Amino acid sequence: MLADLKYISGFGNEFASEDPRCPGALPEGQNNPQICPYNLYAEQLSGSSFTCPRSTNKRSWLYRILPSVIHKPFESIEQGHLTHNWDEVEPDPNQLRWKPFEVPKASQKKMDFVSGLHTLCGAGDIRSNNGIAIHIFICNTSMVNKCFYNSDGDFLIVPQLGKLLIYTEFGKMLVEPNEICVIQRGMRFSVDVFEETRGYILEVYGVHFELPDLGPIGANGLANPRDFLVPVAWYEDRQVPGGYTVINKYQGKLFAAKQDVSPFNVVAWHGNYTPYKYNLENFMVINSVAFDHADPSIFTVLTAKSVRPGVAIADFVIFPPRWGVADHTFRPPYYHRNCMSEFMGLIKGHYEAKPEGFQPGGGSLHSAMTPHGPDGDCFGKASKAKLKPERTAEGTMTFMFETSLSLAVTKWGLKTCNCLDGNYYKCWETLRSHFTPKFRNPTGHK
C-alpha cells in the first residue's frame, strides 16, 4: 500500500491525472461531455467563486464512478471538543504554555482523526468566512468506512508523532513528522494511522494558503514550488451498503450522512484545486550573514493573506536547522511584543530560546502585545558565548502559526486538557538588571 504512492510536483499548477487502470479517462478538449469516458460522472469542485480573477480562481474537475451527491440526509452528531465558540472562558493575556498533549492507548479509548480533534484557540467568524482555528489532533485508530470534509475552511496539518496515510478524492498521501499537508475546503479525506498519533492543525476560513512573495530576495528561496507534492489519481470501486459514513464540519458543527459506496471513486481529475504535502527539510533558509536578526517572517513557508496588504490572516513559519554567523549579535530570538498572535509548536528536538520547558508535542501562545522572549538561562549563556559560526537548531524543528487576529483559548485548552503549564512565567524570573550607568561598554564589544 505504501510502496505504490506517487506524486506530481508543483504548487498551484494546472494538474491532470488519471488512474493507470483506466487510460484515457480524462475527456479530451472539454470538461463536461455528454458521455464521459468509461461512463463516468463529471463533477466540479470549486475552491473559489466562479468570477474570481484567473490568477486566484481555484477549481478541479473530478471524473468519478458515482457523484458525491448520492447520500442520505445529514444529521447532527456529537462533536466532542471541536468548537468555534470563542466566548467559553474569559480572555487571558498571559503567556501560555502547554505540556505535550497526551494520546490515550487504543486499549483505553479508541480515537480516530475526527473524534480526536480538539480545538485549542481561534478567532473570527465561520459564517462570514473570516478567521482561524488551531486544533490539536490525538488519535490511535484508523478511520474505517468513514471520511471527513470541511465546509468551513482549509486544514494545514502538522503531524508530530506517528505518520498519516491520507486517502483523498485525488489520491493517497503519506505524511510523516517533519512534513505538512494541506487539505483544502470541501475535499473528502480519510486518515489511517499506525500507532498513537499526535499533531497540530491550522484551519483558515475563507482564504487559501499561498506561497509568500519574495520581494528583494528575488526569484528563488524559502519553500520552492517544485517541492510541493500532489497525489496522483487512485480509485476504489467499493460497495458498502448503507455503511459508509461521510462526516461534514459545517458552521463549526459536525454532521454525518450514510452512503452505499466509497467516496474515493475518482478515476481521473484535472485542475488547480488539490490537496498537497511538503517536506520541511526542503526549506531554503535565508538568514543574516553580518549582524543583527532578520525578522522571523523570513522563515514563512505558507501564508493566508487578508485584504490588507502585508497582513496575514495566518502565516505558517518554521525555524529549521541553519548556520548562525552574525557578529556582535545576541543570536537567539530577541525579546518581543507583537501586534500579531503567535502559537508555537515543537515537532522534534528542543527550541533554542527555551531548551527545557518547551517540549515536542506541546505548544505555547503569546497573544497580541504580550511580551515574550528567551528564558533567563538562554539569555545568560548567549550573552557570554564566543561568537563563531555554529549550527543552530540542529536536529530540531519548531514552527509557528502567526495571525493578525486576537485568539481566544477554549475551555479545553485552559482547563479540560490538563496540560497547561502554570509555571511558564517563572522561566523569566531569573532575569536580573545588568545596568552599568558609569560604563557604556564594559565588555569591550561594539
Side-chain angles (χ1 to χ4, degrees), residues 146 202 234 243-244 375 411:
K146 184 187 299 183
L202 172 59
W234 172 86
Y244 202 100
D375 62 24
K411 182 179 179 181

Side-chain angles (χ1 to χ4, degrees), residues 71-237:
H71 59 76
K72 301 297 183 183
F74 281 100
E75 296 181 357
S76 178
I77 62 172
E78 173 61 38
Q79 63 186 73
H81 295 288
L82 189 68
T83 184
H84 70 296
N85 180 2
W86 311 132
D87 296 315
E88 290 182 327
V89 293
E90 289 297 309
D92 187 344
N94 286 299
Q95 303 96 342
L96 301 177
R97 182 166 70 187
W98 290 268
K99 300 172 184 177
F101 299 97
E102 296 183 9
V103 187
K105 298 286 185 183
S107 59
Q108 299 171 325
K109 182 180 181 181
K110 287 189 176 182
M111 302 177 71
D112 64 20
F113 180 84
V114 176
S115 62
L117 291 172
H118 298 72
T119 306
L120 189 69
C121 56
D125 179 59
I126 289 176
R127 294 179 184 178
S128 63
N129 286 327
N130 180 46
I132 73 163
I134 295 173
H135 312 284
I136 304 299
F137 70 88
I138 49 179
C139 54
N140 51 37
T141 304
S142 297
M143 296 171 66
V144 179
N145 290 332
K146 184 187 299 183
C147 74
F148 176 82
Y149 75 99
N150 187 358
S151 292
D152 298 329
D154 291 7
F155 269 4
L156 189 159
I157 302 172
V158 185
Q160 184 273 321
L161 179 68
K163 57 191 175 185
L164 311 175
L165 178 59
I166 302 179
Y167 297 81
T168 79
E169 295 172 277
F170 295 78
K172 299 174 289 185
M173 298 186 295
L174 181 66
V175 188
E176 303 183 65
N178 225 42
E179 294 183 316
I180 62 165
C181 74
V182 174
I183 308 292
Q184 302 194 77
R185 186 180 182 187
M187 296 176 180
R188 299 184 176 192
F189 68 99
S190 183
V191 179
D192 278 3
V193 298
F194 307 90
E195 58 189 317
E196 286 77 31
T197 305
R198 175 176 60 203
Y200 313 82
I201 297 175
L202 172 59
E203 180 182 13
V204 296
Y205 312 144
V207 292
H208 299 296
F209 291 102
E210 54 189 281
L211 295 176
D213 296 326
L214 295 180
I217 293 174
N220 306 290
L222 309 187
N224 292 311
R226 72 185 184 113
D227 291 324
F228 289 82
L229 301 178
V230 173
V232 299
W234 172 86
Y235 76 91
E236 59 178 7
D237 185 7

Side-chain angles (χ1 to χ4, degrees), residues 145-443:
N145 290 332
K146 184 187 299 183
C147 74
F148 176 82
Y149 75 99
N150 187 358
S151 292
D152 298 329
D154 291 7
F155 269 4
L156 189 159
I157 302 172
V158 185
Q160 184 273 321
L161 179 68
K163 57 191 175 185
L164 311 175
L165 178 59
I166 302 179
Y167 297 81
T168 79
E169 295 172 277
F170 295 78
K172 299 174 289 185
M173 298 186 295
L174 181 66
V175 188
E176 303 183 65
N178 225 42
E179 294 183 316
I180 62 165
C181 74
V182 174
I183 308 292
Q184 302 194 77
R185 186 180 182 187
M187 296 176 180
R188 299 184 176 192
F189 68 99
S190 183
V191 179
D192 278 3
V193 298
F194 307 90
E195 58 189 317
E196 286 77 31
T197 305
R198 175 176 60 203
Y200 313 82
I201 297 175
L202 172 59
E203 180 182 13
V204 296
Y205 312 144
V207 292
H208 299 296
F209 291 102
E210 54 189 281
L211 295 176
D213 296 326
L214 295 180
I217 293 174
N220 306 290
L222 309 187
N224 292 311
R226 72 185 184 113
D227 291 324
F228 289 82
L229 301 178
V230 173
V232 299
W234 172 86
Y235 76 91
E236 59 178 7
D237 185 7
R238 184 163 65 89
Q239 301 292 314
V240 191
Y244 202 100
T245 303
V246 178
I247 300 175
N248 175 215
K249 188 169 89 69
Y250 175 73
Q251 294 188 15
K253 305 291 185 180
L254 291 185
F255 300 84
K258 293 288 187 178
Q259 62 184 48
D260 295 335
V261 298
S262 165
F264 307 121
N265 60 3
V266 176
V267 178
W269 60 267
H270 76 85
N272 64 354
Y273 190 54
T274 69
Y276 54 88
K277 75 168 195 168
Y278 176 74
N279 190 324
L280 301 180
E281 291 183 1
N282 291 327
F283 188 81
M284 179 189 158
V285 181
I286 303 293
N287 209 351
S288 170
V289 294
F291 59 87
D292 281 351
H293 283 267
D295 290 326
S297 49
I298 61 169
F299 300 117
T300 302
V301 180
L302 292 168
T303 185
K305 295 179 180 178
S306 74
V307 296
R308 292 180 289 167
V311 180
I313 292 291
D315 284 330
F316 174 61
V317 179
I318 63 173
F319 301 97
R322 58 201 183 274
W323 281 98
V325 298
D327 290 325
H328 314 298
T329 298
F330 180 79
R331 290 181 178 175
Y334 43 78
Y335 293 101
H336 186 43
R337 289 181 293 164
N338 191 357
C339 63
M340 308 282 274
S341 300
E342 303 176 6
F343 173 84
M344 294 189 68
L346 184 56
I347 297 172
K348 61 179 180 177
H350 63 271
Y351 180 50
E352 59 181 308
K354 299 179 182 71
E356 297 301 326
F358 189 50
Q359 302 173 52
S364 68
L365 176 63
H366 302 131
S367 297
M369 295 305 178
T370 294
H372 53 281
D375 62 24
D377 185 57
C378 176
F379 179 83
K381 291 179 180 178
S383 298
K384 300 173 184 177
K386 182 178 180 181
L387 297 182
K388 58 183 180 180
E390 61 181 346
R391 288 290 288 174
T392 300
E394 191 68 33
T396 79
M397 185 62 75
T398 311
F399 71 87
M400 179 167 65
F401 299 152
E402 185 176 56
T403 176
S404 57
L405 305 178
S406 184
L407 300 179
V409 184
T410 63
K411 182 179 179 181
W412 180 83
L414 285 179
K415 300 176 182 178
T416 312
C417 73
N418 201 31
C419 293
L420 197 64
D421 182 357
N423 294 318
Y424 183 28
Y425 71 96
K426 294 181 180 179
C427 76
W428 294 289
E429 287 188 338
T430 58
L431 292 169
R432 297 290 181 265
S433 171
H434 302 287
F435 182 44
T436 55
K438 296 182 179 180
F439 300 96
R440 176 182 178 273
N441 193 9
T443 61

